[in-house]
Amino acid sequence: MLEISDLEVRYDTEHGEVHAVNGLSVDLAENETLGLVGESGCGKTTTAKSLIRLLESNCTIAGGSVELDGRDLTDLSLKELKREVRWSEISMIPQNAMNGFDPVYTVGEQIVEVVQAHESDTSKGEARERARELFEKLGIDGDRIDDYPHQFSGGMAQRAMVALALALDPKVILADEPTTALDVVIQDRLLDVIQDLQDEMDVAMLLITHDMSVVSERCDNIAVMYGGRIVEYADAETIIKSPRHPYTLGLRNSFPDITEDSQDLISIPGAPPTLVDPDEMCQFAPRCPFAEEECWEVAPEPVEYGDGHRVECHRADEVEYLRSEAEKHETWTELESTETDDELTETEVKND
Amino acid sequence: MTERKIQVRDVKKHFPVDDGALSNLFGFGEDQSVKAVDGVSFDIDEGEAFGIAGESGCGKTTLAETILQLEEPTDGEITIDGRDVTEMDKGEINALRSDVQIIQQDPYQSLNPRFTVVQWVQEPLDIHDIGPKDERRETVRETLAEVGLRPPENYMDEYTSELSGGERQRVGIARAIVSNPSFVVCDEPVSMLDVSIRASILRLLDDLRTEKGISFMYISHDLSLLKHVCDRIGIMYLGRFVETGPSTQVINDPQHPYTQALVSSTPIINPDVERDRIELSGEVPDPIDLPSGCRFAPRCPEASEECREGEPRMYDVAADQRSRCILHDDQYDLSS
């Protein structure tokens, strides 16, 4: 239903051109939940925002296509996109609902406004009734549509945001860390409610999060993003249980598992790339304990490993070795110490 | 035999509620207070890591602030190394401040961006006048190397605003340990950091604990994290502990219905493990208007009439594990 192909999104900054999204391709089927995971700065929020062009002024879509039911959204003018796509076809739940609502209007007024802006023949009364129904489905008393955002608790406000996102019966919801600011009990219930409504209304969801346990439980498929690209893609179980990309292995092994009594958690050394005019290479190579010469010189092409499992890594064939080594935290810290040694020698040389 | 480091006995911190000028003037407002911390007791041994878990608003941060003497307790006793801190004079409290430190949640807001790394880390030494002045820079250099900012020369004169999140948190840790404290409170020390670098910060803190014998108190809502770093934990609900014990045991085999609900709401990364989920109704009630009887009863799936009558005591449920629930009472078991 939603097909993103070779998407390129760039920021024009004083340091140069930042290739925030750098040739990203992924599909989303009807009613599917796709998890998009990765560190801050990997381009996951930019990807979501570029679909409905909620981009900052120095940011442009430089290439690729975003097809929704066969129509390329990148061909639309911003005006057309706002009228025909935003909210009605693709809507967004931001990380913090309090920032998503205008504090001076009641939540109901804001839902009515969005509905009427897109459906000129819907009366105010009908729009209000729809808002009430959605509130009830989300487990909020319908009368509370007349409350102001500040009268809601964090969990309630996030539910109200879900109501707004679903008000125009969209095909896709982009959920950017929708539960990160919430307590675990409230997070769990909200994800349940969203999942139920998603099934009932037949909506697909792009769930952006850094929480591997949430995507493991809630998503059909998972796309792991690094340096503006999807470096590994597969169904959720494959990504969690048998990943091939060293970055996915690192992420997986850095995440504490509440069912384990003792764990050797790893840390991925270094920092994500700035993506300013990036070189032609594997962007993960500087932080990868398995990087070889080729990784620094050639960007890996995506390789298929059956059932839609797609990996961009020169060494993905050596999976047994990668998996056993990536479990040990020394594998990752040794890399850190060799780097530091290099720096030390450099300083020593300078001092001499 | 390890020594007892911190002893907290029945500590309370209540904040008065201001009803506004009119009620104060005419005196018709009730004397109300927010019972943020309402009778908490626990011990932390030397070199031990104790964790406090609970939802936002349960009072865990206020409890930490009270122990650190940033808030004066309304009632109760806090002893550090056998000395009651609630009875210390200003000079003694000041001396205590170099021995008891905090590592804060947000490395982007807890560091002053106008300070260079060396200024920021050296400040506690200057304030408490620790060590000769001309050696302090060297102390800072050594501390930076110790927290993994290597080589320290590359960091000393950088502004903190130029560092990454992980580096900033290391600077925060350096500042906390530079005065050689024996007790450190960590308030959500990694929640603002990317998952990929959290383990290195946790490992650093744990090395400081084992190598220097520093006692740690971790505050977090993340049970997986607390299980990973803490020896023992306390689960807090509306200002009181509902369950305490060895962290592995409390999380693997929770006894209090609230702990059971918290554990069962935590998502599991392992797709082979199915969660046994317990639904909680409602949200945490207002700490001004506490429910009578068991504080958790209004949300508890197992609550009965008796739960609303009086607040249950802590029951011993297993070795070193205690839970505040009437279900553990033998007499209750007999009658039901």
Side-chain angles (χ1 to χ4, degrees), chain A residues 269-314:
Chain A
T274 56
L275 298 173
V276 178
D277 304 315
D279 290 330
E280 169 72 18
M281 59 182 273
C282 170
Q283 292 300 326
F284 187 55
R287 303 173 71 191
C288 181
F290 311 109
E292 293 175 331
E293 227 177 296
E294 187 187 15
C295 309
W296 292 86
E297 285 159 8
V298 187
E301 292 288 324
V303 179
E304 286 263 358
Y305 287 92
D307 270 350
H309 188 183
R310 213 167 70 209
V311 188
E312 289 187 358
C313 171
H314 291 303

CSV table of all heavy atoms in Angstrom, one decimal, chain A residues 269-314:
chain,number,residue,atom,x,y,z
A,269,PRO,N,30.6,1.3,20.7
A,269,PRO,CA,31.5,2.4,20.9
A,269,PRO,C,31.2,3.5,19.8
A,269,PRO,O,30.6,3.2,18.8
A,269,PRO,CB,32.8,1.8,20.7
A,269,PRO,CG,32.7,0.6,19.8
A,269,PRO,CD,31.3,0.1,20.2
A,270,GLY,N,31.7,4.7,20.1
A,270,GLY,CA,31.7,5.8,19.1
A,270,GLY,C,30.3,6.4,19.0
A,270,GLY,O,29.4,6.1,19.8
A,271,ALA,N,30.1,7.2,18.0
A,271,ALA,CA,28.9,8.0,17.8
A,271,ALA,C,28.4,7.8,16.4
A,271,ALA,O,29.2,7.5,15.5
A,271,ALA,CB,29.1,9.4,18.2
A,272,PRO,N,27.1,8.0,16.2
A,272,PRO,CA,26.5,7.9,14.8
A,272,PRO,C,27.2,8.9,13.9
A,272,PRO,O,27.6,10.0,14.4
A,272,PRO,CB,25.0,8.2,15.0
A,272,PRO,CG,24.7,8.1,16.5
A,272,PRO,CD,26.0,8.4,17.2
A,273,PRO,N,27.2,8.6,12.6
A,273,PRO,CA,27.8,9.5,11.7
A,273,PRO,C,27.0,10.8,11.5
A,273,PRO,O,25.8,10.8,11.7
A,273,PRO,CB,27.8,8.8,10.3
A,273,PRO,CG,26.7,7.8,10.5
A,273,PRO,CD,26.6,7.4,11.9
A,274,THR,N,27.7,11.9,11.2
A,274,THR,CA,27.0,13.2,11.1
A,274,THR,C,26.3,13.3,9.7
A,274,THR,O,25.4,14.1,9.5
A,274,THR,CB,28.0,14.4,11.1
A,274,THR,OG1,29.0,14.2,10.2
A,274,THR,CG2,28.6,14.4,12.5
A,275,LEU,N,26.7,12.4,8.8
A,275,LEU,CA,26.1,12.3,7.4
A,275,LEU,C,26.3,13.6,6.6
A,275,LEU,O,25.5,13.9,5.7
A,275,LEU,CB,24.6,11.9,7.5
A,275,LEU,CG,24.4,10.6,8.1
A,275,LEU,CD1,22.9,10.3,8.3
A,275,LEU,CD2,25.0,9.5,7.2
A,276,VAL,N,27.3,14.4,7.0
A,276,VAL,CA,27.6,15.6,6.1
A,276,VAL,C,28.4,15.1,5.0
A,276,VAL,O,29.5,14.6,5.1
A,276,VAL,CB,28.4,16.7,6.9
A,276,VAL,CG1,28.8,17.8,6.0
A,276,VAL,CG2,27.7,17.1,8.2
A,277,ASP,N,27.9,15.3,3.8
A,277,ASP,CA,28.5,14.8,2.5
A,277,ASP,C,29.2,13.5,2.7
A,277,ASP,O,30.4,13.4,2.6
A,277,ASP,CB,29.5,15.8,2.0
A,277,ASP,CG,28.9,17.2,1.8
A,277,ASP,OD1,27.8,17.2,1.2
A,277,ASP,OD2,29.5,18.2,2.2
A,278,PRO,N,28.4,12.4,3.1
A,278,PRO,CA,29.0,11.1,3.5
A,278,PRO,C,29.8,10.5,2.3
A,278,PRO,O,29.5,10.6,1.2
A,278,PRO,CB,27.8,10.3,3.8
A,278,PRO,CG,26.7,10.9,3.1
A,278,PRO,CD,27.0,12.3,3.0
A,279,ASP,N,30.9,9.8,2.7
A,279,ASP,CA,31.7,9.1,1.8
A,279,ASP,C,31.0,7.8,1.3
A,279,ASP,O,30.2,7.3,2.0
A,279,ASP,CB,33.1,8.7,2.4
A,279,ASP,CG,33.9,9.9,2.6
A,279,ASP,OD1,33.8,10.9,1.9
A,279,ASP,OD2,34.7,9.9,3.6
A,280,GLU,N,31.5,7.3,0.2
A,280,GLU,CA,30.9,6.0,-0.3
A,280,GLU,C,31.6,4.9,0.5
A,280,GLU,O,32.7,4.5,0.2
A,280,GLU,CB,31.3,6.0,-1.8
A,280,GLU,CG,31.1,4.6,-2.5
A,280,GLU,CD,29.6,4.3,-2.7
A,280,GLU,OE1,28.8,5.2,-2.6
A,280,GLU,OE2,29.3,3.1,-2.9
A,281,MET,N,30.9,4.4,1.5
A,281,MET,CA,31.4,3.3,2.3
A,281,MET,C,30.3,2.8,3.2
A,281,MET,O,29.2,3.4,3.2
A,281,MET,CB,32.5,3.9,3.3
A,281,MET,CG,32.0,5.0,4.2
A,281,MET,SD,33.3,5.7,5.2
A,281,MET,CE,33.2,4.6,6.6
A,282,CYS,N,30.5,1.8,4.0
A,282,CYS,CA,29.5,1.3,5.0
A,282,CYS,C,29.6,2.4,6.1
A,282,CYS,O,30.6,2.6,6.7
A,282,CYS,CB,29.8,-0.1,5.5
A,282,CYS,SG,28.8,-0.5,6.9
A,283,GLN,N,28.4,3.0,6.4
A,283,GLN,CA,28.4,4.1,7.4
A,283,GLN,C,28.7,3.6,8.8
A,283,GLN,O,29.1,4.3,9.7
A,283,GLN,CB,27.1,4.8,7.3
A,283,GLN,CG,26.9,5.6,6.1
A,283,GLN,CD,27.9,6.7,5.8
A,283,GLN,OE1,28.4,7.3,6.8
A,283,GLN,NE2,28.3,6.9,4.6
A,284,PHE,N,28.5,2.3,9.0
A,284,PHE,CA,28.7,1.7,10.3
A,284,PHE,C,30.1,1.3,10.6
A,284,PHE,O,30.5,1.0,11.7
A,284,PHE,CB,27.7,0.5,10.5
A,284,PHE,CG,27.7,0.0,11.9
A,284,PHE,CD1,27.5,0.8,13.0
A,284,PHE,CD2,28.0,-1.4,12.2
A,284,PHE,CE1,27.5,0.3,14.3
A,284,PHE,CE2,28.0,-1.9,13.5
A,284,PHE,CZ,27.7,-1.0,14.6
A,285,ALA,N,30.9,1.2,9.5
A,285,ALA,CA,32.3,0.7,9.6
A,285,ALA,C,33.1,1.3,10.8
A,285,ALA,O,33.8,0.5,11.5
A,285,ALA,CB,33.0,0.9,8.3
A,286,PRO,N,33.1,2.6,11.0
A,286,PRO,CA,33.9,3.2,12.1
A,286,PRO,C,33.6,2.6,13.5
A,286,PRO,O,34.4,2.7,14.4
A,286,PRO,CB,33.6,4.7,12.0
A,286,PRO,CG,33.1,4.9,10.7
A,286,PRO,CD,32.4,3.7,10.2
A,287,ARG,N,32.3,2.1,13.7
A,287,ARG,CA,32.0,1.6,15.0
A,287,ARG,C,31.8,0.1,15.0
A,287,ARG,O,31.5,-0.5,16.0
A,287,ARG,CB,30.6,2.2,15.4
A,287,ARG,CG,30.6,3.7,15.4
A,287,ARG,CD,29.2,4.3,15.6
A,287,ARG,NE,28.7,4.0,17.0
A,287,ARG,CZ,27.5,4.2,17.4
A,287,ARG,NH1,26.6,4.6,16.5
A,287,ARG,NH2,27.2,4.0,18.6
A,288,CYS,N,32.1,-0.5,13.8
A,288,CYS,CA,31.9,-2.0,13.7
A,288,CYS,C,33.1,-2.8,14.1
A,288,CYS,O,34.2,-2.6,13.5
A,288,CYS,CB,31.4,-2.3,12.3
A,288,CYS,SG,31.1,-4.0,12.0
A,289,PRO,N,33.0,-3.7,15.0
A,289,PRO,CA,34.2,-4.6,15.4
A,289,PRO,C,34.6,-5.5,14.3
A,289,PRO,O,35.6,-6.1,14.3
A,289,PRO,CB,33.7,-5.3,16.6
A,289,PRO,CG,32.2,-5.2,16.6
A,289,PRO,CD,31.8,-4.1,15.8
A,290,PHE,N,33.7,-5.7,13.2
A,290,PHE,CA,34.0,-6.6,12.2
A,290,PHE,C,34.4,-6.0,10.9
A,290,PHE,O,34.5,-6.6,9.8
A,290,PHE,CB,32.8,-7.5,12.0
A,290,PHE,CG,32.2,-8.1,13.3
A,290,PHE,CD1,31.0,-7.7,13.8
A,290,PHE,CD2,33.0,-9.1,14.0
A,290,PHE,CE1,30.5,-8.2,15.0
A,290,PHE,CE2,32.5,-9.6,15.2
A,290,PHE,CZ,31.3,-9.1,15.7
A,291,ALA,N,34.6,-4.6,10.9
A,291,ALA,CA,34.9,-3.9,9.6
A,291,ALA,C,36.2,-4.4,9.0
A,291,ALA,O,37.2,-4.5,9.7
A,291,ALA,CB,34.9,-2.4,9.9
A,292,GLU,N,36.2,-4.6,7.7
A,292,GLU,CA,37.4,-4.9,7.0
A,292,GLU,C,37.6,-3.8,6.0
A,292,GLU,O,36.8,-2.9,5.8
A,292,GLU,CB,37.2,-6.2,6.3
A,292,GLU,CG,37.1,-7.4,7.2
A,292,GLU,CD,36.8,-8.7,6.5
A,292,GLU,OE1,36.1,-8.6,5.4
A,292,GLU,OE2,37.2,-9.8,7.0
A,293,GLU,N,38.7,-3.9,5.2
A,293,GLU,CA,39.1,-2.9,4.2
A,293,GLU,C,37.9,-2.5,3.3
A,293,GLU,O,37.6,-1.4,3.1
A,293,GLU,CB,40.3,-3.4,3.4
A,293,GLU,CG,41.4,-2.3,3.3
A,293,GLU,CD,42.5,-2.9,2.6
A,293,GLU,OE1,43.1,-3.9,3.1
A,293,GLU,OE2,42.8,-2.4,1.5
A,294,GLU,N,37.3,-3.6,2.8
A,294,GLU,CA,36.2,-3.4,1.8
A,294,GLU,C,35.1,-2.5,2.4
A,294,GLU,O,34.5,-1.7,1.7
A,294,GLU,CB,35.6,-4.8,1.5
A,294,GLU,CG,34.6,-4.7,0.4
A,294,GLU,CD,33.9,-6.1,0.2
A,294,GLU,OE1,34.0,-6.9,1.1
A,294,GLU,OE2,33.2,-6.2,-0.9
A,295,CYS,N,34.8,-2.6,3.7
A,295,CYS,CA,33.7,-1.9,4.4
A,295,CYS,C,34.0,-0.4,4.3
A,295,CYS,O,33.1,0.4,4.3
A,295,CYS,CB,33.6,-2.3,5.8
A,295,CYS,SG,33.4,-4.1,6.0
A,296,TRP,N,35.3,0.0,4.3
A,296,TRP,CA,35.6,1.4,4.3
A,296,TRP,C,35.6,2.0,2.9
A,296,TRP,O,35.7,3.2,2.7
A,296,TRP,CB,37.0,1.6,4.9
A,296,TRP,CG,37.1,1.3,6.4
A,296,TRP,CD1,37.3,0.1,7.0
A,296,TRP,CD2,36.9,2.3,7.4
A,296,TRP,NE1,37.3,0.3,8.3
A,296,TRP,CE2,37.0,1.6,8.7
A,296,TRP,CE3,36.7,3.7,7.5
A,296,TRP,CZ2,36.9,2.2,9.9
A,296,TRP,CZ3,36.6,4.3,8.7
A,296,TRP,CH2,36.7,3.6,9.9
A,297,GLU,N,35.5,1.1,1.9
A,297,GLU,CA,35.7,1.6,0.5
A,297,GLU,C,34.4,1.4,-0.3
A,297,GLU,O,34.2,2.2,-1.2
A,297,GLU,CB,36.8,0.8,-0.1
A,297,GLU,CG,38.2,1.3,0.3
A,297,GLU,CD,39.3,0.3,0.1
A,297,GLU,OE1,39.0,-0.7,-0.6
A,297,GLU,OE2,40.4,0.6,0.6
A,298,VAL,N,33.6,0.4,0.0
A,298,VAL,CA,32.4,0.1,-0.8
A,298,VAL,C,31.2,0.1,0.1
A,298,VAL,O,31.2,-0.6,1.1
A,298,VAL,CB,32.6,-1.2,-1.5
A,298,VAL,CG1,31.4,-1.4,-2.5
A,298,VAL,CG2,33.9,-1.3,-2.2
A,299,ALA,N,30.1,0.8,-0.3
A,299,ALA,CA,28.9,0.7,0.4
A,299,ALA,C,28.2,-0.6,0.1
A,299,ALA,O,28.1,-0.9,-1.1
A,299,ALA,CB,28.0,1.9,0.1
A,300,PRO,N,27.8,-1.4,1.1
A,300,PRO,CA,27.2,-2.7,0.8
A,300,PRO,C,25.9,-2.6,0.2
A,300,PRO,O,25.1,-1.7,0.5
A,300,PRO,CB,27.1,-3.4,2.2
A,300,PRO,CG,27.2,-2.2,3.2
A,300,PRO,CD,27.9,-1.1,2.5
A,301,GLU,N,25.6,-3.5,-0.8
A,301,GLU,CA,24.3,-3.5,-1.4
A,301,GLU,C,23.4,-4.4,-0.6
A,301,GLU,O,23.9,-5.3,0.1
A,301,GLU,CB,24.4,-4.2,-2.8
A,301,GLU,CG,25.2,-3.4,-3.8
A,301,GLU,CD,24.4,-2.2,-4.3
A,301,GLU,OE1,23.1,-2.3,-4.4
A,301,GLU,OE2,25.0,-1.1,-4.5
A,302,PRO,N,22.1,-4.2,-0.6
A,302,PRO,CA,21.2,-5.1,0.2
A,302,PRO,C,21.2,-6.5,-0.4
A,302,PRO,O,21.2,-6.7,-1.6
A,302,PRO,CB,19.8,-4.5,0.0
A,302,PRO,CG,19.9,-3.5,-1.1
A,302,PRO,CD,21.4,-3.1,-1.2
A,303,VAL,N,21.3,-7.5,0.5
A,303,VAL,CA,21.3,-8.9,0.1
A,303,VAL,C,20.1,-9.6,0.8
A,303,VAL,O,19.9,-9.3,1.9
A,303,VAL,CB,22.6,-9.6,0.6
A,303,VAL,CG1,22.6,-11.1,0.2
A,303,VAL,CG2,23.9,-8.9,0.0
A,304,GLU,N,19.4,-10.4,0.0
A,304,GLU,CA,18.2,-11.1,0.5
A,304,GLU,C,18.6,-12.4,1.1
A,304,GLU,O,19.4,-13.2,0.6
A,304,GLU,CB,17.3,-11.4,-0.7
A,304,GLU,CG,16.5,-10.2,-1.2
A,304,GLU,CD,15.1,-10.1,-0.6
A,304,GLU,OE1,14.7,-10.9,0.2
A,304,GLU,OE2,14.5,-9.1,-0.9
A,305,TYR,N,18.1,-12.7,2.3
A,305,TYR,CA,18.3,-14.0,3.0
A,305,TYR,C,17.0,-14.7,3.2
A,305,TYR,O,16.7,-15.2,4.2
A,305,TYR,CB,19.0,-13.8,4.3
A,305,TYR,CG,20.5,-13.4,4.1
A,305,TYR,CD1,20.9,-12.1,4.0
A,305,TYR,CD2,21.4,-14.4,3.9
A,305,TYR,CE1,22.2,-11.8,3.8
A,305,TYR,CE2,22.8,-14.1,3.7
A,305,TYR,CZ,23.1,-12.8,3.7
A,305,TYR,OH,24.4,-12.5,3.5
A,306,GLY,N,16.1,-14.7,2.2
A,306,GLY,CA,14.9,-15.5,2.3
A,306,GLY,C,13.8,-14.8,3.1
A,306,GLY,O,14.1,-14.0,4.0
A,307,ASP,N,12.6,-15.0,2.7
A,307,ASP,CA,11.4,-14.4,3.4
A,307,ASP,C,11.5,-12.9,3.7
A,307,ASP,O,11.1,-12.4,4.7
A,307,ASP,CB,11.3,-15.1,4.8
A,307,ASP,CG,10.4,-16.4,4.7
A,307,ASP,OD1,9.8,-16.5,3.6
A,307,ASP,OD2,10.3,-17.1,5.7
A,308,GLY,N,12.0,-12.2,2.7
A,308,GLY,CA,12.1,-10.8,2.8
A,308,GLY,C,13.1,-10.2,3.7
A,308,GLY,O,13.2,-9.0,4.0
A,309,HIS,N,14.0,-11.1,4.3
A,309,HIS,CA,15.0,-10.7,5.2
A,309,HIS,C,16.1,-10.0,4.4
A,309,HIS,O,16.7,-10.7,3.5
A,309,HIS,CB,15.6,-11.9,6.0
A,309,HIS,CG,16.6,-11.6,7.0
A,309,HIS,ND1,17.2,-12.5,7.8
A,309,HIS,CD2,17.0,-10.4,7.5
A,309,HIS,CE1,18.0,-11.9,8.7
A,309,HIS,NE2,17.9,-10.6,8.5
A,310,ARG,N,16.4,-8.7,4.6
A,310,ARG,CA,17.3,-8.0,3.8
A,310,ARG,C,18.4,-7.4,4.6
A,310,ARG,O,18.1,-6.8,5.7
A,310,ARG,CB,16.5,-6.8,3.1
A,310,ARG,CG,16.9,-6.4,1.8
A,310,ARG,CD,15.7,-5.6,1.2
A,310,ARG,NE,15.7,-4.3,1.9
A,310,ARG,CZ,14.6,-3.5,2.0
A,310,ARG,NH1,13.4,-4.0,1.6
A,310,ARG,NH2,14.6,-2.4,2.6
A,311,VAL,N,19.6,-7.5,4.2
A,311,VAL,CA,20.8,-7.0,5.1
A,311,VAL,C,21.7,-6.3,4.2
A,311,VAL,O,22.1,-6.7,3.1
A,311,VAL,CB,21.5,-8.2,5.7
A,311,VAL,CG1,22.5,-7.7,6.7
A,311,VAL,CG2,20.5,-9.2,6.4
A,312,GLU,N,22.2,-5.2,4.7
A,312,GLU,CA,23.3,-4.4,4.0
A,312,GLU,C,24.6,-4.6,4.8
A,312,GLU,O,24.9,-3.7,5.6
A,312,GLU,CB,22.9,-3.0,3.8
A,312,GLU,CG,21.8,-2.7,2.9
A,312,GLU,CD,21.5,-1.3,2.6
A,312,GLU,OE1,22.2,-0.4,3.2
A,312,GLU,OE2,20.6,-1.0,1.8
A,313,CYS,N,25.3,-5.6,4.5
A,313,CYS,CA,26.6,-5.8,5.2
A,313,CYS,C,27.5,-6.8,4.4
A,313,CYS,O,27.0,-7.8,3.9
A,313,CYS,CB,26.4,-6.4,6.6
A,313,CYS,SG,27.9,-6.9,7.4
A,314,HIS,N,28.8,-6.4,4.2
A,314,HIS,CA,29.7,-7.2,3.4
A,314,HIS,C,29.9,-8.6,4.1
A,314,HIS,O,30.3,-9.5,3.4
A,314,HIS,CB,31.0,-6.5,3.2
A,314,HIS,CG,30.9,-5.3,2.4
A,314,HIS,ND1,30.4,-5.3,1.1
A,314,HIS,CD2,31.2,-4.0,2.6
A,314,HIS,CE1,30.5,-4.1,0.5
A,314,HIS,NE2,30.9,-3.3,1.4
